[in-house]
Amino acid sequence: MESYKTQENSAHWYVVYTYSGYENKVKATLEKIVENRNLQDKILEIIIPMEEEIEIKDGKQKTSIKKVFPGYVLVKMFMEDETWYAVKSIKGVFSFVGVGEKPLPLTEKEMQTLGIDEIINLDYSVGDSVRIITEPFYNYPAIIEEIFKDKKRVKVKVSMFGRETTVDLEFNQVQKI
C-alpha cells in the first residue's frame, strides 16, 4: 500500500466521494472515529456544504436547506495512512477525489470558490467586551453588537467623549478582553 504521509506540516481540505444520501452518515461515523481513536489533531473538520434555498409556492415563501454537492463530504485533515484508512473504511465512502487512489487536496482557489475560507472560528461573540487594536480607535474598549462572518466584519459600540458610537471593523481589528 502506498504511504500517504503528508510532506508538509499543514492540514488540507480533501473531498470524499460518498454514496448519494450517505453524506450525513459518513460525517457522523467519521466524527465518532475521530473521537474514539483520538484523531482530533489529525482530522480537524468535517463539513457537508449546505445552502438555504427559498422557493415560493402558492404565494407562500418556503425556506429549505439543501446540500450544495450531493454525494460529497469535505474533510480538513493531515493525510496519513491512519487518517486515509479511517475515512476510506467508512460504509458509504467510495473514495477520495484525486488521481487514481491518490487523494488530491483542494487548491486555495477551489477552497475560495467553495466558500471554505469563510469558515472562521472567532473567540468572541455578540455582547462580548473587546479592545480595538488598530488606529484611530487604538486601545479603546468596545462591545460586540453584530458579527458579519460573510464580510469578515464586526459592528462594535465604542464609548468616547461621553457618547456611544457604533464602529464597523474587520475581525482582525479587535481582540477579546
Side-chain angles (χ1 to χ4, degrees):
M1 180 173 135
E2 183 179 340
S3 179
Y4 290 103
K5 184 73 177 158
T6 314
Q7 296 301 322
E8 63 253 25
N9 292 332
S10 62
H12 295 285
W13 283 100
Y14 293 89
V15 180
V16 178
Y17 181 37
T18 69
Y19 295 121
S20 187
Y22 273 71
E23 302 89 352
N24 294 335
K25 290 177 188 152
V26 167
K27 181 178 191 256
T29 303
L30 185 53
E31 287 169 345
K32 284 181 189 160
I33 289 171
V34 166
E35 188 179 319
N36 293 341
R37 297 185 192 170
N38 289 324
L39 296 174
Q40 295 89 343
D41 59 337
K42 294 181 180 182
I43 298 178
L44 310 177
E45 280 185 77
I46 307 153
I47 61 171
I48 301 168
M50 306 290 264
E51 67 184 354
E52 214 174 74
E53 189 176 86
I54 299 169
E55 62 180 313
I56 299 172
K57 240 183 191 175
D58 301 325
K60 294 179 183 171
Q61 183 173 313
K62 183 184 172 196
T63 304
S64 59
I65 304 292
K66 303 235 180 201
K67 293 178 178 88
V68 178
F69 308 108
Y72 295 95
V73 175
L74 304 177
V75 182
K76 185 175 186 179
M77 61 188 273
F78 291 92
M79 185 57 69
E80 301 175 3
D81 291 340
E82 181 182 22
T83 56
W84 179 88
Y85 184 76
V87 173
K88 198 79 166 82
S89 66
I90 296 171
K91 182 181 178 191
V93 169
F94 275 123
S95 64
F96 283 94
V97 172
V99 179
E101 281 289 309
K102 184 172 173 45
L104 290 177
L106 292 171
T107 65
E108 200 69 35
K109 187 174 179 142
E110 289 167 332
M111 291 186 331
Q112 289 170 355
T113 301
L114 296 174
I116 293 176
D117 62 337
E118 299 302 321
I119 299 171
I120 299 164
N121 295 318
L122 300 174
D123 65 345
Y124 48 79
S125 55
V126 173
D128 282 354
S129 295
V130 293
R131 184 163 309 284
I132 300 173
I133 57 173
T134 59
E135 295 294 343
F137 302 103
Y138 180 75
N139 225 17
Y140 273 88
I143 304 291
I144 302 281
E145 286 190 324
E146 289 183 75
I147 297 174
F148 305 99
K149 283 192 174 184
D150 57 332
K151 296 177 182 163
K152 297 181 183 169
R153 300 188 74 78
V154 291
K155 189 182 286 185
V156 299
K157 190 182 293 181
V158 181
S159 182
M160 49 193 249
F161 311 120
R163 302 179 87 182
E164 289 194 337
T165 305
T166 300
V167 181
D168 185 45
L169 300 167
E170 292 181 12
F171 286 165
N172 63 357
Q173 292 180 289
V174 297
Q175 180 178 2
K176 189 171 181 176
I177 297 177

